Amino acid sequence: MLKPARTFRGGYRFKNFNGQARPVIVENHMPVLVTIPLKQGFGAELKSLVKKGDAVFAGQIIARDDNVVSSPIHSSVNGVVEEVRRMNYFKRQTAMVIIRTNNASREILRIEGCSLDWARLSNEKIEELIYLSGVSSLDREGIPTRFKSSIIPPEEVKHLIVHGVGSEPYNISLDLLLKDKNLLNFLEGVKILKRIMPNSKVHLSLNAKKRSIIEQVAKLTSQLEWLDTYPLEPKYPQGYDEILVPTILNQNFPYGYSAANIGVVILNIQAVLGVYEAVCNGKPFIERVIAICGPSIKDNIHVKVRVGTPLKDILAERIKIEMPVRVVMNSLLTGFQLNDISLPVDRTFSHIVAIPEKKEREFLSFMRPGKTRDSYTRAFLAGILPWIKRAPDTNKHGEERPCISCGFCERACPVKIIPHLLAKHVQRNLIDETIMNYGIFNCIECGLCSYVCPSKISLMKIIKEGQDKLTMQGCDSTQCILPYFNLKGIEEYRGVTKL
Amino acid sequence: MRFIKNTLDKVKIIAGNNKYLKTFKPVLNAMDEFFFGTDKVTTLPHIVDNMDIKRLMSLVIIALLPVTIASIYFWGLRVLLVIMVSYAFGGLIEVCFAVFRKKEIHEGFLVTGLIFPLILPPGVPLWVVAVGVMFGVMFGKEVFGGTGRNIFNPAIVGRVFLTIAFPKIMTMNWQMPFNKGLGGFIHFQNTVDAVTTATPLVLFKNQGIVTSYSNLMFGQSAGCIGETFRVGIIAGGLFLIVMRIVDWRLPLAYLATVFVFPYLSNHLIHTQFALGGFQLFSGGLLLGAFFMATDPVTSPFTKPGRWISGALLGILTLLIRNLSGYMEGVMFSILLINAFTPLIDTAVLKARYKKGRPR
Ligand code: SF4
Ligand code: SF4
């Protein structure tokens, strides 16, 4: 059923940033060398089943462990294992399997037992296909199957939220993901998921601005009484689990835990498409569609790449080199900075954003009309000329100053805490129960407060610091959460995240 | 631009080598930052808002421009001199403290320096301006530790100090504004008919005369330099609200209280309050409500706190206007409520974060 549009209090809508990826997709050339991390997405790090010198084929499982929360990992090319070693991958030592391609064919071996007529498959088979394809490790809590791919079993899922809100400054194109036949495949994927999670209610949440897609979906799903469609305003950070749960389910979120702990699974559209591909076509999840965004890219498009492809294979010819560039993974507000372009992409990549690293100073910067400058206030020309594209860069646009209590951070904060108040307590070293009471552990690190602050205070960082200090003093976020929620699978969740 | 850069760089080198000039580094840095912006880059989040304190303060100044220009028309070119004196002496204090503390100079002063002259009577002697602004900046702001830490609005501290210290000067220097031709743009000061007159509030209190709304709105009444051109004040205030720089809650609560309260009390306790409309458009109420009570540093940051403090301000203003010997309630009430701001915020936070409630 189509529900009325919804949104949440706070947040900020990033409009019309320059360098949005066009709804065009190209296949990246086959990599000569892939580096495959043995921890991708949700789940524990696995041990390699292959060793140096082994021949592997694309889609072959090279790591799997059914006894820990995890999903299998595949080789993404046909080739020979060159090395298995640990490398620093996003601030974590991760084991990597390095494979040299010896056959650049794009063929991928299908997983056995798949069927276009999935309704005839048994539940067990479907779950197995999803698990073996590796798609079950996507997103924050993975897809529950009987193979321990998530922290709760599939029957315990009460709500499944599938979202394609696109609230970041740069988003993958919904039009592209759900083009033509993909829309039908996507809905099939949703039905498959409903089948393995029989006790769940499904909530599709889509960008309210994509009218035509919503209409089509509403028409195609009008018969399904277990499925609701919600148009959501694409306001950052609507796509976060912590915000989706209250907006859609009117339910509090156990901050610091995962939605799965309250029986909710949240997936994005690529994961659902992956489920369809796995069950109906037996495709292991070794390819990923990545949106290449930002003004420092020559042509903003989407590319389909094999997992393990080094970033330089993707970026080398696409990036503008005239100016210094900062490359960021997934989100301009919270994403990792990609300094080392020899690192590979994994299953969790969805965006690569490149913006100018703007160190040079600007004459009378604060007096410029600001035709392309984005701001929470409406004090730039961009605020009244919404059709002109905004050009982001990494400059701080001002000196750090003491807080003037303007309240922007409070108005923007999506979880209704008061960032400047917390920051003042932390900076004065007043770290005690008071700030826990003020909700310091509710911070979801979305970074909006730091974004909007005109005094350029790194609020998010200070709040994080406060959380750490508070935890060291023995106040734990569990104190704010456990008494009020009946959480499931806590031990497993700890096991995966505290590794 | 090149020229400014070169000069600054040269001066910096000279200052860097000289033991005595070194102390003025904050001034040079402030100028450097003012002209050339920053070269710092972000960490996380990777992008930040283009708004900064400089632009924020400039916008407040832009919002005050209509009033300032109109005030030159009404009171003569001497107003410019008053503004310059205010900036010069206020700036002096600011620089002294920055040098003394070895901290950078903050932009907040740019607004104080302009607002302060606007709330003085047109005939105010220049030395009084200097004394007032120095007192205001020093005891309203610097003793608390500078911008962002102050409890009181520095302009108001200066003004209230002057009212108490020099009551004669501050209540006697009312003039009638220019209203013909180019008016004050070509005169230094209104000497032709410099008959001292009384402000509308005084006229009402002593003789029951109600000045007409059109005169009040368009500046044809006696009053402080910047408070009589009320159309301009309203426009500037709305501009700031639309730009999201000022929160609408406090001014709305303040003005609504002032408008409604007289009706209520005239009915209930039969004292003679001037009616709401007249109250709204007389005295420094509008200027105070839009530009001073809303100063983010000294007003409550919680939303309920803003409603509360707006309402309290309204009631207090009316009580002072009608029941005390002072004609002007706005400044005193803002000063008083400033003092209560932390208390209001704490109370609101206490109520909001009751222990043991899941959020
Ligand atoms: S980073 Fe934390 S405090 Fe800041 S806006 Fe986001 S949730 Fe609120
Ligand atoms: S946005 Fe910055 S200046 Fe404004 S209240 Fe928050 S911390 Fe203070």
Side-chain angles (χ1 to χ4, degrees), chain B residues 63 66-67 229-242 290-291:
Chain B
V67 182
F229 186 57
R230 299 198 163 79
V231 184
I233 299 174
I234 295 173
L238 291 181
F239 170 78
L240 289 183
I241 289 175
V242 168
F290 282 119
F291 289 94

Side-chain angles (χ1 to χ4, degrees), chain A residues 403-409 420 453-455 457 459:
Chain A
C403 170
I404 55 163
S405 311
C406 65
F408 292 176
C409 51
H420 65 92
C453 179
S455 298
I457 303 171
L459 290 157

Side-chain angles (χ1 to χ4, degrees), chain B residues 11 39 45 52 84 92 113 122 158 187 211 236 246 282 287 308 350 355:
Chain B
V11 177
D39 56 353
D52 69 342
M84 277 183 320
L92 190 71
H187 291 95
T211 318
V246 156
S282 53
L287 192 67
I308 296 170
K350 274 246 171 67
K355 270 222 170 105

Side-chain angles (χ1 to χ4, degrees), chain A residues 111-161:
Chain A
I111 310 170
E112 258 171 55
C114 64
S115 164
L116 276 174
D117 190 10
W118 60 268
R120 306 240 314 261
L121 297 176
S122 68
N123 265 12
E124 171 155 21
K125 188 69 204 168
I126 293 179
E127 283 173 40
E128 190 183 357
L129 283 164
I130 292 176
Y131 175 68
L132 288 182
S133 73
V135 66
S136 52
S137 66
L138 290 184
D139 294 331
R140 285 231 340 241
E141 42 282 306
I143 303 176
T145 61
R146 63 191 69 190
F147 300 91
K148 269 202 159 182
S149 54
S150 179
I151 51 178
I152 49 172
E155 334 55 90
E156 277 188 23
V157 178
K158 282 185 295 207
H159 299 278
L160 169 65
I161 300 177

